Amino acid sequence: MISPELKLSLPSTEDLPCSDDTPVDNEDQNLLPNLLLFVLTGIWSDRMDWYFGVDMAVYHTTGISPKVPVVPDGFLSLGVERRKGGKSRRSYAVWEENEVVPILALEMVSHKPGGEYDDKMSIYAGLGVLYYIIYNPEFWRRDRHQPFEAYKLIDGQYRQQIGEPYWMPEVGLGMGRSGQVIGGIEQEILVWYDESGNVYPLPDAAAGQMREELRVERQRAEGLQQRAERLAEYLRSQGIIPITCLNRDVKFDRLHRILPSIL
């Protein structure tokens, strides 16, 4: 809990840098968290109580200074406005968010280690981030870790969790890896999962799934039409006028007079 006196002395996000200006050293550090954000806007389109930040400074009072942020590759906060005051955030200051800390932090290990397994883990633990996920697809052997690791804060310490995709009940989502086609290129990415272990599809995948469902439905309709035509042909061969073949201008009284002569 931040004291009222300290809160009055803390700077506004309008006066703080939005990031640490450290450039990413591979494109996936931007791409993958943004894909998670993009899919999440579809999953939770009817919710206004969450925020997912990408490469954004998180300012807090549990470090060496409130003006020194931690900058996750991605983070999720629950119980906050999606757009603070109807505007986009420049950064995330815990004291301006009713002291709501992120429930999930994501770090992607790059060519140059950035303290993901020690310094940042300690910062997130001190901040009280419940879930910490480290994605290390290329350098996990170098770092003697697994490509995907999920940690949960238990009694102030991170404990590595077992299972992938990893389900987070407090979030209501799971996260894990999946091979997907992005812009015509197949690659491994991070995705959201539901409780049954099903991947929430990317927009392209969702569109493809919809196209496939339409194709199946079209084939079903064509099959029904063919069956109806065969039935109509059979009825005509028996001297029976199929109802679907009757002229729409034929009145009921005329139909009533025609049927007895056929039957």
Side-chain angles (χ1 to χ4, degrees):
M1 179 68 68
I2 302 173
S3 67
E5 294 79 12
L6 176 58
K7 195 168 185 178
L8 286 173
S9 67
L10 293 171
S12 165
T13 50
E14 296 295 325
D15 305 319
L16 293 168
C18 59
S19 184
D20 58 1
D21 293 326
T22 301
V24 298
D25 65 5
N26 70 77
E27 60 182 311
D28 285 346
Q29 279 185 282
N30 260 329
L31 174 64
L32 270 58
N34 273 295
L35 286 174
L36 289 171
L37 167 60
F38 196 51
V39 173
L40 198 57
T41 58
I43 301 173
W44 286 348
S45 60
D46 58 342
R47 291 181 56 174
M48 299 296 149
D49 62 342
W50 61 274
Y51 180 74
F52 191 92
V54 177
D55 192 31
M56 177 179 286
V58 176
Y59 290 93
H60 55 102
T61 59
T62 59
I64 58 175
S65 168
K67 293 184 178 181
V68 178
V70 61
V71 185
D73 289 315
F75 71 89
L76 173 66
S77 286
L78 299 180
V80 299
E81 295 177 283
R82 281 179 62 177
R83 291 177 64 85
K84 190 170 178 60
K87 299 179 180 179
S88 298
R89 290 172 174 83
R90 297 183 67 252
S91 58
Y92 188 98
V94 172
W95 57 83
E96 290 187 356
E97 305 286 349
N98 294 321
E99 299 184 39
V100 175
V101 303
I103 193 171
L104 166 67
L106 167 67
E107 291 288 351
M108 297 179 54
V109 180
S110 56
H111 179 72
K112 182 179 179 181
E116 290 85 2
Y117 297 104
D118 39 58
D119 293 344
K120 281 197 169 182
M121 181 176 284
S122 177
I123 292 172
Y124 293 136
L127 182 55
V129 177
L130 183 59
Y131 292 106
Y132 178 37
I133 290 179
I134 304 176
Y135 182 50
N136 188 353
E138 294 187 57
F139 307 104
W140 57 278
R141 291 186 180 87
R142 175 200 68 186
D143 298 330
R144 298 182 180 180
H145 281 270
Q146 296 302 310
F148 178 90
E149 292 182 353
Y151 295 85
K152 186 174 184 179
L153 193 65
I154 301 174
D155 296 329
Q157 300 289 327
Y158 278 121
R159 307 297 182 193
Q160 187 172 351
Q161 304 299 292
I162 299 174
E164 185 189 355
Y166 178 64
W167 176 252
M168 299 170 284
E170 296 84 353
V171 178
L173 293 169
M175 186 181 289
R177 298 168 292 170
S178 177
Q180 300 283 332
V181 177
I182 309 296
I185 301 175
E186 185 172 354
Q187 69 176 97
E188 180 183 277
I189 63 171
L190 294 175
V191 294
W192 300 109
Y193 285 83
D194 65 19
E195 193 170 4
S196 299
N198 301 308
V199 175
Y200 282 103
L202 299 173
D204 285 349
Q209 181 178 345
M210 184 178 296
R211 284 194 294 269
E212 176 63 16
E213 290 173 354
L214 289 172
R215 184 187 66 81
V216 171
E217 178 62 23
R218 185 169 58 249
Q219 288 181 339
R220 188 187 72 84
E222 289 172 353
L224 290 175
Q225 179 66 24
Q226 291 172 358
R227 290 176 58 189
E229 289 173 356
R230 288 196 297 269
L231 177 60
E233 183 63 30
Y234 171 76
L235 290 174
R236 281 192 290 267
S237 70
Q238 300 300 310
I240 301 173
I241 300 176
I243 298 298
T244 56
C245 295
L246 290 171
N247 190 302
R248 292 182 182 180
D249 294 329
V250 176
K251 304 299 182 182
F252 178 79
D253 58 343
R254 290 185 58 199
L255 179 62
H256 181 71
R257 291 194 298 270
I258 293 173
L259 286 178
S261 63
I262 297 176
L263 297 175

